[in-house]
């Protein structure tokens, strides 16, 4: 999908269509999640600090994310992909691989490359009809090439790489185009005089093994020749579920840090349960004022989805971390996921609750010392970037002291008893500005109210297009993708006709 989050916001808000829109964290330490193509002309891009984006594009609309709505629209797109093939591999809310040969999509077409093109064009039309949004399709004989083709097709296009033309297409591209070639690998190759994919192919396998080591060298050499045998995998299990928050002001008060960890643990378990999972390893993440980041983990006796167990484990881990210099980010995650809960952990949860009660009354043994259990070693794999599986980067939340229904975050849906539905354009100094419009209306009028106006309330988003039905809230979990048969997945040959919308 093209600039997905921003495109959904533009489709929802008529006054923003054709204008620069930036979605992401809005605080001093916020980060851009998605920028519309209009905003990208000013140099704004994802992962950029929001403060920097505001300097580049001061007149853009800066909005908080509405993940509930994004998930609902994503679900519609994924259902269209499942209509093409049982082998659909989602990469995120807005991107997936599809093995066209595994389904019936090519039946009734002329077959081959042109048949795949016909399917891709029909998919783009169906997405536009169902959601009002645009998607770009890459068609090729492998996942890597389909991904590259989809990037070349953006925005709102289709690129097909015919079999036999891969090396010629890849040759002039930067080495960074290849999956797994990041800044460090690119710098090693640059020092060796290698800057394009074609130059990687010319260097030969022996030279790449010398430069990059055996495993990485073989992989990069194969990709430079257009070889990618990875199959499309229909089910991608999340490795962890995690949440994190960045704070506008460094936290130095130990009590506040503990309260934040408890709150994050509760949110993490809510997401864990929404996914129908449990986990065995609890992980905390602490980023200090100087951007140094550490993780600590503790593995339990078995998987759990009990908030008390996760909270107690997270606090035990926190006991081994010095936070007195200031904390700018905290995170809590659960990994080692399973589909069941270890029965004897219920006793552990009760014990945790007992310790908490004893601590409140001052009767807990050793209350002045470290909590029970010692912090584990650094986690080998840090929790996801503040998100559940498939969810995009988290947005900072306002202070917990403000009631949830009075947090007038720019972009949030609201309803006024007199003026009807609209969205928050901005707030401050006790006032909130609202633009009253809906997806199918003309650009609406702007009005300003007191932040505590009793006639103004939060509202659920209005869905886009006829294909998206029912309400979606920012707190709702991602719509579940219906399970597909595994019969086509085992031992599948390299996919052809792969699509990456």
């Amino acid at each position: 999908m093209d600039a997905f989050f921003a495109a959904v916001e533009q489709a929802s808000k008529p006054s923003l269509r054709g204008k620069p829109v930036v979605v992401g964290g809005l605080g001093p330490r916020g980060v851009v999640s998605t920028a519309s193509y209009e905003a990208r002309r000013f140099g704004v891009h994802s992962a950029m600090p929001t403060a920097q984006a505001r300097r580049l594009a001061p007149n853009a609309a800066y909005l908080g994310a509405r993940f509930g709505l994004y998930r609902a629209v994503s679900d519609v797109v994924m259902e269209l992909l499942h209509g093409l093939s049982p082998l659909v591999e989602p990469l995120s809310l807005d991107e997936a691989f599809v093995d066209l040969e595994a389904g019936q999509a090519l039946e009734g077409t002329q077959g081959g490359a042109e048949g795949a093109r016909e399917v891709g064009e029909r998919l783009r039309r169906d997405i536009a009809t169902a959601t009002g949004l645009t998607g770009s399709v890459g068609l090729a004989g492998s996942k890597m090439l389909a991904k590259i083709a989809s990037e070349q097709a953006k925005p709102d296009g289709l690129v097909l790489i015919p079999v036999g033309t891969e090396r010629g297409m890849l040759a002039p591209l930067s080495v960074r185009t290849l999956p797994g070639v990041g800044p460090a690998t690119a710098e090693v190759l640059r020092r060796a005089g290698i800057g394009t994919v074609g130059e990687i192919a010319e260097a030969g396998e022996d030279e790449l093994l010398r430069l990059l080591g055996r495993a990485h060298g073989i992989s990069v050499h194969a990709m430079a020749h257009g070889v990618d045998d990875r199959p499309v995998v229909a089910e991608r299990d999340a490795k962890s579920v995690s949440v994190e928050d960045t704070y506008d002001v460094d936290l130095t008060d130990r009590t506040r840090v503990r309260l934040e960890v408890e709150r994050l643990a509760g949110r993490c378990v809510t997401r864990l349960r929404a996914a129908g999972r449990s986990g065995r390893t609890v992980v905390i993440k602490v980023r200090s004022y100087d951007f140094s980041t550490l993780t600590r983990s503790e593995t339990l006796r078995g998987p759990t989805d009990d908030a008390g167990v996760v909270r107690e484990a997270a606090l035990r881990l926190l006991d081994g971390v010095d936070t007195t210099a200031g904390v700018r980010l905290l995170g809590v995650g659960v990994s080692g996921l399973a589909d069941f809960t270890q029965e004897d952990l219920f006793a552990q949860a009760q014990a945790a609750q007992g310790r908490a009660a004893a601590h409140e009354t001052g009767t807990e043994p050793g209350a002045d010392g470290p909590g029970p259990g010692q912090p584990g070693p650094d986690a080998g794999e840090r929790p996801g970037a503040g998100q559940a599986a498939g969810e995009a980067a988290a947005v900072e939340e306002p202070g917990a002291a403000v009631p949830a229904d009075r947090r007038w975050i720019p972009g949030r849906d609201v309803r006024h008893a007199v003026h009807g539905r609209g969205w928050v354009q901005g707030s401050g100094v006790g006032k909130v500005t609202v633009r009253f419009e809906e997806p199918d209306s003309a650009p609406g009028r702007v009005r300003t109210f007191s932040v505590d106006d009793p006639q103004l309330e939060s509202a659920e988003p209005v869905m886009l297009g006829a294909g998206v039905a029912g309400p979606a809230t920012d707190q709702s979990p991602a719509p579940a993708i219906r399970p597909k048969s595994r019969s086509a997945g085992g031992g599948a040959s390299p996919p052809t006709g792969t699509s990456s919308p």
Side-chain angles (χ1 to χ4, degrees), residues 170-192:
L170 288 171
L173 302 180
S174 164
V175 296
R176 291 292 305 275
T177 305
L178 299 180
V181 178
T185 300
E187 178 59 20
V188 171
L189 294 173
R190 186 195 65 79
R191 291 200 208 103

Side-chain angles (χ1 to χ4, degrees), residues 144-179:
M144 178 190 75
L145 293 169
K147 169 67 173 174
I148 292 172
S150 71
E151 292 298 324
Q152 293 181 341
K154 288 185 175 295
D156 193 19
L158 180 148
V159 168
L160 182 145
I161 302 176
V163 175
T165 67
E166 296 92 346
R167 284 196 59 180
M169 183 277 301
L170 288 171
L173 302 180
S174 164
V175 296
R176 291 292 305 275
T177 305
L178 299 180

Side-chain angles (χ1 to χ4, degrees), residues 143-373:
K143 291 166 72 171
M144 178 190 75
L145 293 169
K147 169 67 173 174
I148 292 172
S150 71
E151 292 298 324
Q152 293 181 341
K154 288 185 175 295
D156 193 19
L158 180 148
V159 168
L160 182 145
I161 302 176
V163 175
T165 67
E166 296 92 346
R167 284 196 59 180
M169 183 277 301
L170 288 171
L173 302 180
S174 164
V175 296
R176 291 292 305 275
T177 305
L178 299 180
V181 178
T185 300
E187 178 59 20
V188 171
L189 294 173
R190 186 195 65 79
R191 291 200 208 103
I194 300 172
T196 67
V197 176
E199 290 169 346
I200 290 179
E202 293 173 2
E205 188 173 46
D206 290 342
E207 176 67 2
L208 291 173
L209 294 180
R210 184 185 69 81
L211 293 170
L212 307 177
R214 180 171 180 78
H216 198 27
I218 291 174
S219 173
V220 171
H221 179 264
M223 290 188 294
H225 287 78
V227 177
D228 177 18
D229 294 333
R230 296 173 300 162
V232 174
V233 180
E235 296 181 7
R236 291 168 53 90
D237 285 338
K239 294 181 180 179
S240 65
V241 172
S242 62
V243 296
E244 63 184 39
D245 274 347
T246 300
Y247 303 98
D248 293 343
V249 178
D250 292 339
L251 305 183
T252 55
D253 181 76
R254 185 69 175 183
T255 301
R256 171 71 189 283
V257 172
R258 288 179 63 87
L259 289 173
E260 288 297 311
V261 168
E262 290 182 0
R263 183 177 63 85
L264 290 168
R267 284 175 50 196
C268 181
V269 169
T270 297
R271 289 183 175 179
L272 192 67
R273 289 178 173 175
R277 309 298 295 275
S278 59
R280 191 166 181 234
T281 300
V282 178
V283 185
I284 67 167
K285 176 180 177 182
V286 181
R287 178 168 296 157
S288 299
Y289 73 98
D290 59 357
F291 287 89
S292 61
T293 304
L294 60 82
T295 58
R296 294 288 185 267
S297 66
E298 176 181 320
T299 298
L300 307 171
R301 289 176 293 174
T304 182
D305 64 354
D306 187 277
V309 173
V310 174
R311 181 173 59 250
E312 285 292 305
L315 290 174
R316 286 197 297 272
L317 294 170
L318 182 65
D319 285 339
V321 180
D322 181 7
T323 62
T324 55
V327 173
R328 63 180 290 121
L329 176 147
L330 288 170
V332 175
V334 176
S335 61
L337 301 187
D339 294 322
F340 63 94
T341 301
Q342 191 83 1
E343 290 296 333
D344 64 358
L345 284 181
F346 288 115
Q348 184 172 342
Q350 292 173 351
Q353 293 169 358
R355 285 193 299 270
H359 181 73
E360 289 180 0
T361 60
T363 60
E364 181 182 9
D368 293 332

Side-chain angles (χ1 to χ4, degrees), residues 4 40 104 140 176 203 205 236 294 318 349 418 454 456 458 489:
F4 184 51
R40 295 180 191 186
Q104 310 299 316
R176 291 292 305 275
E205 188 173 46
R236 291 168 53 90
L294 60 82
L318 182 65
V418 176
L456 187 66
S458 296

